[in-house]
Amino acid sequence: MPLCVAPCVPLNFFGGPGSVTAEQLAYIQYTDLSSTRSTQSDLYFNLSTTVPVPFLPDAIGIAAGVERRTSKYTDNPSPEAIDGTTAGLTSMPSNGSVAAKEVFVELDIPLAKDLPFMQELGLNLAGRISDYGDLGKSTNGKIGATYHPIKDLLLRSAFSTSFRAPNTGELFLGNAGSYPGLTDPCAAPEAGSVTETNCDADGVAPYTQLTSQFYAPFTGNKNLKSETSHSLTAGFVFSPSAINGFDMSVDYFRIKLDNFITPPGAQFILDQCYKTPGRAGCEFITRNSQQQLLSVLNAFQNLPSQDTSGIDFSVNYILPTKSIEALASLGKFKLAGNATFLSSYAQTVLGSDGVTLTRTGYVGTLALPRWKINPSLQWSNGPFSGSVNTRIIWGTFESCDDGITPSLSELGLCSDPTHRDVDGNLSPRNRVKYAFKTDMQMGYVYKPAKASITLGLENAFDRDPPISYSSSNSFESSYWVPGRLPYISLKKDF
């Protein structure tokens, strides 16, 4: 049966200028009537003071406060976006609110000062009580300490707990359309693998996956629980008096997040259902009558825990130009560098059989590089300033399992085609080349007019992000868009 019969007139998108009539445009176009409203009301009272204590070297610092906060969010898409009759993604209405009451107190206590091998010793204590109504109540605290054994060295550490209630979007978001690239594990499972066993149990036979994109809408979840966390930091700052203008710091961190809230991702849901013994998330997967993948509901969920650890590095050095008469007129130069080494990242997921499984091996994925390094050179001279900043990403890999025939492995595009995941499933992966880009900036401040101008060039050396076979547009979105970007910025204060 023809799709278009009189008085319908077919529309030819490739017919050239003049081939599309006004009547055809009027039929396919529509006026989008949608509204979004987000409001937050905040009533708070804070105070801070110091209290002298005779037996302590300095006064105790005290801060305290109370707060009542309400957040509301409403989104009403157009009828066309709701029923999916547009060329865009479908979207459903969202509506909800979250209210909170909190009280906090913080103490900064100097314990010792100007003693042998104890230039300074301080203790920091903090506590907060949070009440989010049906979302839960929580009491959290922090204990931290700083210790100067000598003038040049500061040792510091802190342990804290925290609480975060789900926000309005995580709770009340209506289905927001998305069509990510997905690989159905059941399309071509490895013989004898956990995947093959799980697919057979669901009656899903191997098949040829003809498309790489599937409907996987994001949606809120009114049954979410609040997140809680424990964090530990420990490190030092070294500022040698023998090298004026130099300091460096190293800090270890570990953050354990329980009931962490996230849309786990459609591919994660597929992999948890079919690639692991626990088989979590299978209820979010829909298949057609031939048992081929149709859609995945990517709802916000509470995953049991997330554990992250790493080391932050920082180095700063102000060049001694002012102390050298011949260089004093050149201004102030500062070399700076910051880096983060991600040593571990583990998620714990709960299987449908009630068995908790710890998943590891996430460090080094495109979203979680092993190293992020940011060196820079900064300059200032009176009203003039400039900087050169470089961003380096190093130590990443990507999955080669794209579900397409021939596969990336078969095309020879995987550096590690025999890699297996923690459950023993074949999971080819490819090492992604390190990447860096350099941004330059010059500025001038005209103080009498309270005005400034900034000229800049992003990606000055035109470095492309590394090619990623698993990402849209052939590069990972968390890197940068290829090409240089010059810009000018004018600022005026009144």
Side-chain angles (χ1 to χ4, degrees), residues 194 198 272-280 351-353 357 359 423:
V194 173
N198 291 337
Q272 288 301 299
C273 176
Y274 294 110
K275 287 188 174 184
T276 68
R279 307 214 61 196
S352 59
D353 57 359
L357 305 173
R359 326 300 298 160
D423 293 306

Side-chain angles (χ1 to χ4, degrees), residues 156 235-238 247-251 312-316 338:
R156 58 190 180 187
F236 68 88
V237 181
F238 181 51
D247 67 80
M248 65 172 291
S249 65
V250 179
D251 290 282
D312 287 329
F313 302 87
S314 176
V315 177
N316 299 283
N338 297 287

Side-chain angles (χ1 to χ4, degrees), residues 236-258:
F236 68 88
V237 181
F238 181 51
S239 306
S241 54
I243 308 177
N244 189 36
F246 175 84
D247 67 80
M248 65 172 291
S249 65
V250 179
D251 290 282
Y252 167 82
F253 65 87
R254 181 176 180 181
I255 304 170
K256 174 78 170 354
L257 191 62
D258 294 314

